[in-house]
Amino acid sequence: MILLDFGYERAATLQQAAAWLARLGDGAHVLAGGTDLLPSLRAELVSPGVLVGLSGIEPEPPRLTADGSIRIDALTRLSSLAHAGLVREKLPMLADSALAVGSNQIREMATLGGNLCQETRCLYLNQRHDYQFAAPCFKRGGDCCHPFPRNDRQTCWSVHMSDIAPALIALGAELEILGGAGMRRIGAAELYTGSGLQPLSLGRAELVRAVIVPPPPPRSGWGFHKSTVRGGLEFGMAVIAVSLQLAEDGASCCGARIAVGAVRERPLRLESAERALVGARLDDERLARVAPDAAKALNPLPHHGFTRRHLLDNVAVYLRRALAQAAERARTGRA
Amino acid sequence: MLEANESTPVTAKRSQSQLISLCVNGEWREVAVKPRLTLVEVIRDSIGLTGTKASCESGACGACTVLLEDRPILACLTLAIECDGKRVQTVEGLAEGGKLSAIQDAFLDQGAVQCGFCTPGMLMSATALLRDCPKPSREEINKALEGNLCRCTGYNAIVDAVLQASGQGVEPVMK
């Protein structure tokens, strides 16, 4: 049961939604699929006066643009994204990352934009606390941090759990942001600030309108892994997305993008590991060295009962496997 | 980007009920709902169909699964006001003319019901699966039912029931 009373307005277009949000200010919140917002409303993590619903806006199907990029409407449901022929064929990593989210029902409801803009999580933040008193934490306007009692920096060490964001970052995707001042385009990683208090770089009335993914270059391959305990209906303990490109000799690496999600307040790019791979031969020995080094440089936030050590070990193993898989796909040309 | 339709007045009528129409199991109904009411609350409390269960209310258990425009969704994470003009099918709509559907029959036959609380959600997820994929493999069934938790842990019988309903070599055990 949602205890808070709010008004509801259904927008007919995204422009209208953005204009309403601008006019209504902090009292309004946008509602897309609702799978992230409704639990936040129940937990009273957000308390809007009005919800601006986007369910009346029909998303455009994913399409190929003139320059060969693939443009995906941010309101695309994750199940449509995972099963769209164009996405499956050209961007299998993106389809797999969408299929890794939540459950069948959640994928039927949740949208691509909503997944990217979801609330960060920790064991305390996203819970209702009416059954047992818990003092408000920094993010809720209080003055403590439950998972990190020695956090004295007035900040929030919660984790961004999107499964799709790391895949988009590894694919070099860009986002179209619609706001009062018009359209702007940013890299997928720039959506995130790195602060748990304010995880998104979006302005008050800005909305993600579309995701534009460049076509994967020739001789490239991908690897994706979401580490979970059960294997379904779960937030990841770490989400790893890799794309590698081979040089014309077919053995050495000429381009690498590695992103790890669910370990910090934003998805991280592993730039030192990328530098260690570019120009090198992608043999097992090299990958076995790069992956643990990259994990060591990661500094994950322990979250949801997983210790720092466990997360580092997990990333070291699955990053090596994802890199090996990406290298294999780049060599064989098989998606 | 300010357009003409931006001037449409936004009337934030807090907590005021609005009339919506829902086609529940083939029958159109008008219901007055407050914006904060979820679909599962309206189905159970306003319409009186208590087959659909509300349990975790956070998307973690799937007990509230219903079909909205033939797609399986979580009624606890859907605002009823967003469903205005849409078709909803609940577990009460599976049987036709007093005759249970094939999947309901298979659940009974395989003993795929223990405490029964997850069963309505399981049936709706399984119904959606069999519509999209009439002969699912065990793996496909597991994936389709990943969002439905059974705390009695009766999963094997449930998967067997879906296989039986799809006519794939699982023998009826009770008949």
Side-chain angles (χ1 to χ4, degrees):
Chain A
M1 186 188 286
I2 300 171
L3 295 176
L4 178 84
D5 259 328
F6 47 78
Y8 172 85
E9 297 290 340
R10 185 183 300 198
T13 64
L14 213 58
Q15 281 84 351
Q16 188 180 46
W20 284 353
L21 288 169
R23 171 121 45 96
L24 293 162
D26 289 338
H29 204 292
V30 65
L31 168 68
T35 53
D36 190 55
L37 183 62
L38 262 68
S40 287
L41 287 170
R42 283 205 176 91
E44 295 179 21
L45 195 51
V46 286
S47 28
V50 186
L51 287 184
V52 174
L54 305 182
S55 65
I57 308 170
E58 191 57 35
E60 279 178 41
R63 66 180 162 84
L64 216 51
T65 60
D67 65 352
S69 300
I70 291 156
R71 188 179 190 283
I72 306 163
D73 197 314
L75 284 171
T76 307
R77 308 274 164 185
L78 299 187
S79 54
S80 331
L81 177 64
H83 297 114
L86 183 65
V87 178
R88 281 237 72 95
E89 182 199 343
K90 305 265 187 202
L91 307 167
M93 170 150 71
L94 180 57
D96 268 22
S97 71
L99 214 52
V101 176
S103 65
N104 195 28
Q105 294 96 315
I106 287 173
R107 290 189 295 274
E108 289 285 351
M109 304 165 71
T111 63
L112 173 57
N115 183 276
L116 298 179
C117 298
Q118 65 183 270
E119 187 55 271
T120 54
R121 305 189 74 83
C122 93
L123 273 180
Y124 294 85
L125 180 63
N126 320 79
Q127 307 292 330
R128 275 181 89 141
H129 293 299
D130 48 358
Y131 54 90
Q132 185 186 37
F133 177 75
C137 63
F138 291 130
K139 185 151 182 173
R140 284 175 178 260
D143 56 2
C144 65
C145 177
H146 295 289
F148 300 97
R150 279 184 280 175
N151 171 0
D152 55 3
R153 299 188 196 174
Q154 306 278 319
T155 189
C156 172
W157 285 334
S158 55
V159 174
H160 199 272
M161 293 288 200
S162 171
D163 298 328
I164 298 178
L168 287 180
I169 292 170
L171 287 167
E174 296 197 325
L175 309 177
E176 254 180 40
I177 311 288
L178 176 74
M183 286 274 303
R184 64 191 179 104
R185 211 159 139 161
I186 58 173
E190 293 162 45
L191 179 63
Y192 304 103
T193 61
S195 156
L197 294 174
Q198 192 86 51
L200 300 179
S201 65
L202 294 181
R204 201 177 61 185
E206 284 190 318
L207 297 165
V208 178
R209 184 165 91 166
V211 175
I212 293 122
V213 192
R219 300 179 306 282
S220 65
W222 58 279
F224 178 84
H225 178 80
K226 174 179 178 179
S227 289
T228 56
V229 176
R230 296 197 300 257
L233 189 53
E234 219 179 333
F235 288 103
M237 67 175 91
V239 180
I240 297 162
V242 173
S243 34
L244 296 178
Q245 190 190 2
L246 290 175
E248 280 183 17
D249 65 8
S252 61
C253 174
C254 72
R257 296 178 74 97
I258 306 171
V260 177
V263 288
R264 291 292 311 194
E265 303 92 327
R266 66 166 160 205
L268 301 175
R269 236 352 244 282
L270 301 188
E271 277 159 2
S272 61
E274 293 172 5
R275 281 195 300 273
L277 288 171
V278 172
R281 285 179 67 85
L282 293 178
D283 48 29
D284 289 349
E285 202 183 319
R286 162 78 54 172
L287 300 185
R289 211 167 44 236
V290 167
D293 285 353
K296 261 182 227 141
L298 199 59
N299 193 22
L301 286 169
H303 66 88
H304 297 90
F306 303 114
T307 61
R308 207 182 124 74
R309 177 68 192 275
H310 183 86
L311 293 174
L312 289 177
D313 288 351
N314 189 285
V315 171
V317 170
Y318 287 103
L319 177 58
R320 176 170 54 76
R321 293 187 191 171
L323 287 168
Q325 200 175 24
E328 178 64 19
R329 284 184 170 123
R331 263 182 231 118
T332 58
R334 247 175 282 144
Chain B
M1 190 173 290
L2 302 179
E3 302 208 337
N5 57 15
E6 188 238 353
S7 61
T8 314
V10 172
T11 48
K13 296 181 223 88
R14 280 197 184 206
S15 78
Q16 256 186 30
S17 291
Q18 297 183 33
L19 215 53
I20 62 163
S21 41
L22 279 177
C23 177
V24 184
N25 299 329
E27 192 185 324
W28 283 97
R29 295 163 190 260
E30 293 219 317
V31 203
V33 300
K34 287 183 174 185
R36 70 177 168 88
L37 287 183
T38 56
L39 183 59
V40 68
E41 289 168 314
V42 169
I43 289 172
R44 289 177 57 86
D45 304 341
S46 310
I47 298 175
L49 294 174
T50 53
T52 307
K53 305 303 180 205
S55 181
C56 74
E57 300 203 319
S58 63
C61 76
C64 65
T65 305
V66 298
L67 304 187
L68 183 67
E69 299 288 329
D70 296 329
R71 309 307 307 168
I73 57 111
L74 299 167
C76 75
L77 294 187
T78 305
L79 293 181
I81 202 163
E82 292 238 283
C83 304
D84 190 10
K86 292 190 176 164
R87 284 181 300 119
V88 181
Q89 191 183 8
T90 69
V91 70
E92 289 90 345
L94 288 181
E96 277 177 35
K99 192 179 172 311
L100 294 182
S101 69
I103 184 73
Q104 286 174 306
D105 255 340
F107 264 62
L108 274 182
D109 180 69
Q110 292 289 337
V113 179
Q114 289 178 43
C115 84
F117 205 81
C118 73
T119 310
M122 289 280 183
L123 287 170
M124 299 321 287
S125 280
T127 302
L129 169 69
L130 294 177
R131 263 183 212 164
D132 287 348
C133 175
K135 301 274 178 206
S137 65
R138 209 162 249 278
E139 205 170 284
E140 285 170 321
I141 297 170
N142 285 340
K143 184 74 180 160
L145 297 183
E146 73 181 335
N148 294 82
L149 294 195
C150 168
R151 291 223 49 191
C152 311
T153 70
Y155 294 108
N156 281 334
I158 291 168
V159 174
D160 285 345
V162 180
L163 285 170
Q164 181 187 327
S166 58
Q168 296 191 90
V170 171
E171 292 304 316
V173 290
M174 302 277 197
K175 284 174 188 165

